[in-house]
Amino acid sequence: MSWSKLNKTINAHSVIPLDALSCRDFGVNLPVNFPFNKAKFTCQALAMLSQLNDYDLKMVCADIIQICANPNAQNSIKHSRNPLRRLWRTKYPFRNYHFLIEYSLKNNFINLEDILFDKQLEGAKSNFAAERTMLYEVKRRSSHTYDKAMNDDEIKKVQGAWDSIPTPTTQIKTQHAAVNGMQNELTKATWLMGTHLDEPMRETA
């Protein structure tokens, strides 16, 4: 986010009105149908939006648009002490994807206070069907690679060539990336995707 555009009197809870052009100054690309005339953002909410990957941003924006259309819908939870403050639960039907949007109603505007994601959904799960679809950065630990028929010990070395605890990320910052298209669990995908990339990585080295 371009914090250089904010003066020292503005903090994380300051509310900023945006339009289709100014939102890009803060690193946020909102859809063309976004109701700018109904919604404002705190700096905190803008900072969160600017860090989301394209899929998360699409999902969050879809729910914000629904909030603007009906801020009192069933997905909205009123704060126990402040009825003007609300939490919106994602309408995504599966448990492996979950976020909350914190907002308030002020002067006929929806003030978007914060975007909250459940960090407990990150990483490998014993029931891998519950693993969240997301981006991970996987560090290389050794030079072992699959380049011929191998026995079990050699395969284990290849598996150990990649860090077994990947780091969640919202952007691809590495030269190479792979998509886990076969729905392998995260533990297997961390080394298998790297192994698939080994050949093109050697060719470009």
Side-chain angles (χ1 to χ4, degrees):
M1 180 174 180
S2 300
W3 293 105
S4 60
K5 296 180 181 296
L6 307 179
N7 62 51
K8 294 181 180 180
T9 65
I10 296 177
N11 59 41
H13 303 291
S14 298
V15 177
I16 301 176
L18 296 177
D19 57 34
L21 292 177
S22 61
C23 69
R24 298 174 187 173
D25 292 336
F26 297 99
V28 178
N29 291 316
L30 299 176
V32 293
N33 64 330
F34 191 86
F36 291 101
N37 62 328
K38 295 182 179 180
K40 296 181 181 180
F41 297 85
T42 64
C43 292
Q44 171 63 24
L46 274 176
M48 281 296 298
L49 285 176
S50 69
Q51 295 301 309
L52 297 182
N53 60 46
D54 290 346
Y55 178 76
D56 287 341
L57 182 60
K58 178 181 178 181
M59 297 291 284
V60 169
C61 284
D63 274 3
I64 291 176
I65 291 172
Q66 291 194 43
I67 291 172
C68 291
N70 187 4
N72 298 309
Q74 290 183 350
N75 279 55
S76 174
I77 308 169
K78 290 184 180 180
H79 193 280
S80 59
R81 296 181 181 179
N82 184 354
L84 296 179
R85 198 165 190 174
R86 312 290 179 87
L87 279 176
W88 177 278
R89 298 168 295 183
T90 174
K91 299 187 74 173
Y92 191 79
F94 302 108
R95 293 182 179 179
N96 62 343
Y97 188 80
H98 172 71
F99 61 82
L100 297 173
I101 299 172
E102 184 178 348
Y103 68 98
S104 59
L105 308 175
K106 294 180 181 178
N107 301 322
N108 296 320
F109 270 93
I110 305 295
N111 285 351
L112 297 153
E113 311 281 351
D114 206 348
I115 315 296
L116 310 168
F117 279 85
D118 190 350
K119 293 184 70 67
Q120 295 183 73
L121 298 179
E122 297 176 354
K125 307 297 176 187
S126 55
N127 174 17
F128 69 85
E131 293 177 354
R132 183 188 166 202
T133 301
M134 59 185 299
L135 296 173
Y136 290 96
E137 182 176 356
V138 185
K139 300 291 186 180
R140 182 124 200 188
R141 301 172 61 183
S142 75
S143 60
H144 293 290
T145 185
Y146 188 89
D147 56 4
K148 61 181 179 180
M150 294 181 171
N151 57 36
D152 290 344
D153 289 339
E154 291 171 322
I155 290 293
K156 288 180 181 178
K157 290 181 179 179
V158 172
Q159 293 174 347
W162 301 90
D163 194 344
S164 60
I165 304 178
T167 302
T169 184
T170 58
Q171 298 177 345
I172 297 174
K173 300 177 181 178
T174 54
Q175 184 177 0
H176 301 280
V179 177
N180 182 26
M182 295 301 292
Q183 296 183 339
N184 297 303
E185 67 272 22
L186 179 59
T187 301
K188 182 176 182 180
T190 51
W191 68 267
L192 186 60
M193 295 301 100
T195 302
H196 285 324
L197 285 173
D198 271 342
E199 187 59 34
M201 287 171 66
R202 288 196 297 270
E203 291 177 354
T204 57

